[in-house]
Amino acid sequence: KKDVPVANFTIHEIHCSRNIEVCCYCHESIPKTEMKNHVESEHAQVTCKCSMKIEKSLLEDHEASACPLRPAVCQHCDLQLAFNKLHEHESYCGARTERCSGCGLNVMVRDLKEHPRVCG
């Protein structure tokens, strides 16, 4: 998969056919002696804590951005919880009220950031 000078092509092609293999999963050129290790370390199926089966090399990205059990923080109370519980928690948490120190009214937590504009 690389440019090779014409003068070296035959020798290069012989070397590659003896020593290099193309991974059937990621299509990368891997030394034949390292192929078994490559497949086991990069393409083995593992199970995430959310029970999804995924390639080992993709697990870190899955856990960071797609896993429903990844950590998430409530925008209202900074509590850390699983992402799949965040919406329900924030709906409840944002509906709580706190007394405004300026006007004395009870304001829903979700509205506290905007309240100073209308509070006076």
Side-chain angles (χ1 to χ4, degrees), residues 25-41:
Y25 299 105
C26 65
H27 307 290
E28 292 293 320
S29 298
I30 309 291
K32 285 183 178 182
T33 58
E34 297 175 20
M35 183 57 74
K36 182 179 177 190
N37 184 44
H38 168 78
V39 170
E40 288 173 358
S41 66

Side-chain angles (χ1 to χ4, degrees), residues 11 16 35 37 39 42 54 62 66-67 72 89 104:
I11 294 169
C16 277
M35 183 57 74
N37 184 44
V39 170
E42 298 297 319
I54 192 165
H62 168 77
C67 180
H89 171 82

Side-chain angles (χ1 to χ4, degrees), residues 1-33:
K1 293 185 178 182
K2 296 189 171 119
D3 291 333
V4 178
V6 174
N8 298 345
F9 185 77
T10 304
I11 294 169
H12 179 85
E13 188 175 39
I14 291 169
H15 171 79
C16 277
S17 65
R18 284 186 186 159
N19 300 303
I20 305 294
E21 217 175 322
V22 175
C23 176
C24 61
Y25 299 105
C26 65
H27 307 290
E28 292 293 320
S29 298
I30 309 291
K32 285 183 178 182
T33 58

Side-chain angles (χ1 to χ4, degrees), residues 100 102-103 105-107 111-120:
C100 172
C103 66
L105 289 176
N106 285 326
V107 180
D111 298 330
L112 282 174
K113 290 178 185 165
E114 297 295 320
H115 181 71
R117 288 191 306 128
V118 296
C119 179

Side-chain angles (χ1 to χ4, degrees), residues 73-94:
V73 177
C74 173
Q75 64 180 320
H76 305 301
C77 69
D78 294 327
L79 178 70
Q80 184 171 318
L81 57 157
F83 181 80
N84 63 352
K85 305 282 186 199
L86 183 64
H87 181 72
E88 181 183 346
H89 171 82
E90 284 185 338
S91 293
Y92 166 80
C93 190

